[in-house]
Amino acid sequence: MTLPRKRWLAVGAAATLFLAGCAGGTTGGTTGGTDGGEGKPAAISQADIDKAMKTPTELTFWTWLPDIDKEVALFEKKYPAISVKVVNAGNSQAEYTKLRTALKAGSGAPDVVQLEYQHIPGFAITDSLLDLRPYGAEALKERFVDWAWGQVSGRNGEVWAIPQDTGPMGMLYRKDIFDKHGIQPPKTWDEFAAAARKLHAADPGVYLTNFPTNHNSIWTGLMWQAGVKPFQMKGADQVSVDVAGETSKKLASYWSGLVKEGVVSTDADFSDQWFQALNKGRYATWLTAAWGPLFLSTSAKETRGKWRVAPLPQWTAGEQKSGNWGGSTSAVVKMTKNPIAAAKFAEFLNTDPESARMLTTLQFLYPPTKALLSDPGFVEQKSDFYGGQQVNKVFADISGTVPTDFTWLPFMDQINNDWNETVGKSLADKTDTAAGLDKWQQTITTYAEKQGFKVAR
């Protein structure tokens, strides 16, 4: 799930060169100059758009989504002059590596590429993405939940991609195990800790949850929920890093405490052991994202009908806040020779009503569009795996509780790798996680400074 350090260095060098040459203006940029007012690039005229969409064109689209050709066919039907070649260049990191290679070579990159939210800044800062504002993307903002749109927006208002799916976090729980031990779905983290101790004392073979230490996805999502703002771009060459503040230390104390007590397991997730544990009832909850319910229904078939869904427990009773884990976008690579057609394809794929709905039914993505999140045909679906519960409705409500101000830095691969060696290792070894946070803070700061960034906290 993370990029080896040596692979980042090639991009890091490019970022450093970019920083050296940047005079403090916008990152990235678009064709057409900056006469759109307030430093914005000029808008492309509707006449130019109409002409481009009727001009014979072939686009290349890199994505790891299966069967996406069906949504692509809708676009090709509407715009018969344009054909789209779909290429699976590998899942996430494998695709990013190939993309960086193509960008460095100056050839071979696609017109449109699937990017996860956290990797947008890394490609934007190397001037590899097209700002989609001149192509009408700003007008799409109100169609998406605010926090997803914030993830594709640049520091100066750029629109670097169109949201495709999200992963607001909730709690899947085993109702049968809860009922057997008289446990109610915990609404606060204090209740969650008490339930963890009660359950493991009653049945030492069962843990209330598993907190994996092999990657930081859950940790990051819980930072997001708790209101931590760990990563912020303060300027073209200035960042702030705050992963070891008071709230992060509270997280560290809470989870390392449960781990040291032995009432929460720390198995590597998505491993054979983890899949077997889910099927055998070793974990009574899974803290996961909106894509988790479907994944679980196909990975733990033996537990059909035993699971339910609830929001994450809260730090303060009565609050409703969550974080996000995962999700991706459609971005246009700046070196495309067909920027209008590429931008309109990215827009169509994720906003055309039929295409957007198909993304939920064929690729089973959780939508970022307000239209689908309020559509009875989507949110009122009932799932037998979850006892007939309207799972989509629960996560639609959760999506409305995700804070909007969480952002990323251009070197998230390095940050994620460093978490494994600091915070993750401290949890796995049951050592001082607060010290692990301090070490994570220092390693991120050191790396950022080596890449030419001025670092504040």
PDB file of all heavy atoms in Angstrom, residues 71 354-365 378 381:
ATOM      1  N   GLU A  71     -19.179   1.787 -18.559  1.00  0.00           N
ATOM      2  CA  GLU A  71     -19.407   3.215 -18.383  1.00  0.00           C
ATOM      3  C   GLU A  71     -18.757   3.997 -19.537  1.00  0.00           C
ATOM      4  O   GLU A  71     -19.317   4.997 -20.015  1.00  0.00           O
ATOM      5  CB  GLU A  71     -18.825   3.695 -17.046  1.00  0.00           C
ATOM      6  CG  GLU A  71     -19.621   3.266 -15.821  1.00  0.00           C
ATOM      7  CD  GLU A  71     -19.170   1.916 -15.277  1.00  0.00           C
ATOM      8  OE1 GLU A  71     -18.597   1.109 -16.053  1.00  0.00           O
ATOM      9  OE2 GLU A  71     -19.374   1.657 -14.074  1.00  0.00           O
ATOM     10  N   GLU A 354     -26.366   8.072 -15.312  1.00  0.00           N
ATOM     11  CA  GLU A 354     -26.325   6.626 -15.560  1.00  0.00           C
ATOM     12  C   GLU A 354     -24.940   6.056 -15.264  1.00  0.00           C
ATOM     13  O   GLU A 354     -24.810   4.989 -14.660  1.00  0.00           O
ATOM     14  CB  GLU A 354     -26.719   6.330 -17.012  1.00  0.00           C
ATOM     15  CG  GLU A 354     -26.868   4.839 -17.287  1.00  0.00           C
ATOM     16  CD  GLU A 354     -27.387   4.551 -18.684  1.00  0.00           C
ATOM     17  OE1 GLU A 354     -27.635   5.526 -19.448  1.00  0.00           O
ATOM     18  OE2 GLU A 354     -27.558   3.360 -19.023  1.00  0.00           O
ATOM     19  N   SER A 355     -23.898   6.789 -15.671  1.00  0.00           N
ATOM     20  CA  SER A 355     -22.540   6.316 -15.416  1.00  0.00           C
ATOM     21  C   SER A 355     -22.242   6.277 -13.912  1.00  0.00           C
ATOM     22  O   SER A 355     -21.682   5.301 -13.401  1.00  0.00           O
ATOM     23  CB  SER A 355     -21.535   7.225 -16.126  1.00  0.00           C
ATOM     24  OG  SER A 355     -20.212   6.821 -15.847  1.00  0.00           O
ATOM     25  N   ALA A 356     -22.629   7.351 -13.207  1.00  0.00           N
ATOM     26  CA  ALA A 356     -22.363   7.408 -11.764  1.00  0.00           C
ATOM     27  C   ALA A 356     -23.085   6.275 -11.032  1.00  0.00           C
ATOM     28  O   ALA A 356     -22.538   5.673 -10.105  1.00  0.00           O
ATOM     29  CB  ALA A 356     -22.798   8.769 -11.218  1.00  0.00           C
ATOM     30  N   ARG A 357     -24.313   5.961 -11.448  1.00  0.00           N
ATOM     31  CA  ARG A 357     -25.029   4.869 -10.799  1.00  0.00           C
ATOM     32  C   ARG A 357     -24.372   3.526 -11.114  1.00  0.00           C
ATOM     33  O   ARG A 357     -24.280   2.643 -10.247  1.00  0.00           O
ATOM     34  CB  ARG A 357     -26.495   4.854 -11.239  1.00  0.00           C
ATOM     35  CG  ARG A 357     -27.304   3.730 -10.609  1.00  0.00           C
ATOM     36  CD  ARG A 357     -28.774   3.839 -10.957  1.00  0.00           C
ATOM     37  NE  ARG A 357     -29.371   4.998 -10.337  1.00  0.00           N
ATOM     38  CZ  ARG A 357     -29.764   5.040  -9.067  1.00  0.00           C
ATOM     39  NH1 ARG A 357     -29.614   3.965  -8.296  1.00  0.00           N
ATOM     40  NH2 ARG A 357     -30.301   6.111  -8.571  1.00  0.00           N
ATOM     41  N   MET A 358     -23.923   3.373 -12.358  1.00  0.00           N
ATOM     42  CA  MET A 358     -23.278   2.105 -12.714  1.00  0.00           C
ATOM     43  C   MET A 358     -22.008   1.877 -11.891  1.00  0.00           C
ATOM     44  O   MET A 358     -21.653   0.743 -11.577  1.00  0.00           O
ATOM     45  CB  MET A 358     -22.965   2.087 -14.214  1.00  0.00           C
ATOM     46  CG  MET A 358     -24.216   1.902 -15.075  1.00  0.00           C
ATOM     47  SD  MET A 358     -23.922   2.159 -16.852  1.00  0.00           S
ATOM     48  CE  MET A 358     -22.871   0.753 -17.227  1.00  0.00           C
ATOM     49  N   LEU A 359     -21.318   2.951 -11.530  1.00  0.00           N
ATOM     50  CA  LEU A 359     -20.119   2.794 -10.689  1.00  0.00           C
ATOM     51  C   LEU A 359     -20.466   2.167  -9.336  1.00  0.00           C
ATOM     52  O   LEU A 359     -19.634   1.500  -8.714  1.00  0.00           O
ATOM     53  CB  LEU A 359     -19.438   4.152 -10.479  1.00  0.00           C
ATOM     54  CG  LEU A 359     -18.741   4.751 -11.704  1.00  0.00           C
ATOM     55  CD1 LEU A 359     -18.301   6.189 -11.424  1.00  0.00           C
ATOM     56  CD2 LEU A 359     -17.521   3.920 -12.109  1.00  0.00           C
ATOM     57  N   THR A 360     -21.711   2.362  -8.883  1.00  0.00           N
ATOM     58  CA  THR A 360     -22.122   1.773  -7.600  1.00  0.00           C
ATOM     59  C   THR A 360     -22.623   0.350  -7.756  1.00  0.00           C
ATOM     60  O   THR A 360     -22.614  -0.415  -6.788  1.00  0.00           O
ATOM     61  CB  THR A 360     -23.230   2.610  -6.923  1.00  0.00           C
ATOM     62  OG1 THR A 360     -24.457   2.464  -7.664  1.00  0.00           O
ATOM     63  CG2 THR A 360     -22.843   4.070  -6.853  1.00  0.00           C
ATOM     64  N   THR A 361     -23.083  -0.013  -8.954  1.00  0.00           N
ATOM     65  CA  THR A 361     -23.679  -1.339  -9.139  1.00  0.00           C
ATOM     66  C   THR A 361     -22.751  -2.324  -9.857  1.00  0.00           C
ATOM     67  O   THR A 361     -22.897  -3.534  -9.684  1.00  0.00           O
ATOM     68  CB  THR A 361     -24.984  -1.237  -9.936  1.00  0.00           C
ATOM     69  OG1 THR A 361     -24.722  -0.612 -11.202  1.00  0.00           O
ATOM     70  CG2 THR A 361     -26.011  -0.411  -9.172  1.00  0.00           C
ATOM     71  N   LEU A 362     -21.812  -1.808 -10.668  1.00  0.00           N
ATOM     72  CA  LEU A 362     -20.896  -2.690 -11.385  1.00  0.00           C
ATOM     73  C   LEU A 362     -19.539  -2.789 -10.697  1.00  0.00           C
ATOM     74  O   LEU A 362     -18.961  -3.867 -10.593  1.00  0.00           O
ATOM     75  CB  LEU A 362     -20.711  -2.194 -12.822  1.00  0.00           C
ATOM     76  CG  LEU A 362     -21.956  -2.213 -13.718  1.00  0.00           C
ATOM     77  CD1 LEU A 362     -21.613  -1.721 -15.110  1.00  0.00           C
ATOM     78  CD2 LEU A 362     -22.550  -3.624 -13.778  1.00  0.00           C
ATOM     79  N   GLN A 363     -19.029  -1.633 -10.242  1.00  0.00           N
ATOM     80  CA  GLN A 363     -17.734  -1.644  -9.549  1.00  0.00           C
ATOM     81  C   GLN A 363     -17.912  -1.560  -8.031  1.00  0.00           C
ATOM     82  O   GLN A 363     -16.934  -1.623  -7.295  1.00  0.00           O
ATOM     83  CB  GLN A 363     -16.863  -0.482 -10.037  1.00  0.00           C
ATOM     84  CG  GLN A 363     -16.325  -0.662 -11.450  1.00  0.00           C
ATOM     85  CD  GLN A 363     -17.367  -0.373 -12.524  1.00  0.00           C
ATOM     86  OE1 GLN A 363     -18.238   0.479 -12.342  1.00  0.00           O
ATOM     87  NE2 GLN A 363     -17.282  -1.082 -13.649  1.00  0.00           N
ATOM     88  N   PHE A 364     -19.180  -1.357  -7.581  1.00  0.00           N
ATOM     89  CA  PHE A 364     -19.527  -1.320  -6.160  1.00  0.00           C
ATOM     90  C   PHE A 364     -18.755  -0.235  -5.409  1.00  0.00           C
ATOM     91  O   PHE A 364     -18.297  -0.434  -4.287  1.00  0.00           O
ATOM     92  CB  PHE A 364     -19.300  -2.696  -5.527  1.00  0.00           C
ATOM     93  CG  PHE A 364     -20.075  -3.792  -6.199  1.00  0.00           C
ATOM     94  CD1 PHE A 364     -19.428  -4.741  -6.979  1.00  0.00           C
ATOM     95  CD2 PHE A 364     -21.454  -3.855  -6.067  1.00  0.00           C
ATOM     96  CE1 PHE A 364     -20.147  -5.736  -7.618  1.00  0.00           C
ATOM     97  CE2 PHE A 364     -22.192  -4.857  -6.707  1.00  0.00           C
ATOM     98  CZ  PHE A 364     -21.527  -5.799  -7.485  1.00  0.00           C
ATOM     99  N   LEU A 365     -18.615   0.930  -6.051  1.00  0.00           N
ATOM    100  CA  LEU A 365     -17.959   2.063  -5.402  1.00  0.00           C
ATOM    101  C   LEU A 365     -18.976   2.815  -4.541  1.00  0.00           C
ATOM    102  O   LEU A 365     -20.161   2.878  -4.869  1.00  0.00           O
ATOM    103  CB  LEU A 365     -17.369   3.006  -6.451  1.00  0.00           C
ATOM    104  CG  LEU A 365     -16.370   2.379  -7.436  1.00  0.00           C
ATOM    105  CD1 LEU A 365     -15.805   3.461  -8.364  1.00  0.00           C
ATOM    106  CD2 LEU A 365     -15.242   1.676  -6.695  1.00  0.00           C
ATOM    107  N   PHE A 378     -30.800   4.062  -4.009  1.00  0.00           N
ATOM    108  CA  PHE A 378     -29.479   3.647  -3.518  1.00  0.00           C
ATOM    109  C   PHE A 378     -29.481   3.446  -1.996  1.00  0.00           C
ATOM    110  O   PHE A 378     -29.083   2.399  -1.502  1.00  0.00           O
ATOM    111  CB  PHE A 378     -28.434   4.695  -3.901  1.00  0.00           C
ATOM    112  CG  PHE A 378     -27.058   4.411  -3.371  1.00  0.00           C
ATOM    113  CD1 PHE A 378     -26.287   3.386  -3.898  1.00  0.00           C
ATOM    114  CD2 PHE A 378     -26.544   5.149  -2.317  1.00  0.00           C
ATOM    115  CE1 PHE A 378     -25.022   3.099  -3.388  1.00  0.00           C
ATOM    116  CE2 PHE A 378     -25.275   4.878  -1.802  1.00  0.00           C
ATOM    117  CZ  PHE A 378     -24.525   3.856  -2.347  1.00  0.00           C
ATOM    118  N   GLN A 381     -31.655   0.455  -0.212  1.00  0.00           N
ATOM    119  CA  GLN A 381     -31.381  -0.954  -0.492  1.00  0.00           C
ATOM    120  C   GLN A 381     -31.160  -1.704   0.824  1.00  0.00           C
ATOM    121  O   GLN A 381     -30.502  -1.183   1.728  1.00  0.00           O
ATOM    122  CB  GLN A 381     -30.133  -1.091  -1.383  1.00  0.00           C
ATOM    123  CG  GLN A 381     -30.283  -0.507  -2.769  1.00  0.00           C
ATOM    124  CD  GLN A 381     -28.967  -0.562  -3.552  1.00  0.00           C
ATOM    125  OE1 GLN A 381     -28.042  -1.276  -3.182  1.00  0.00           O
ATOM    126  NE2 GLN A 381     -28.890   0.203  -4.619  1.00  0.00           N
TER     127      GLN A 381
END
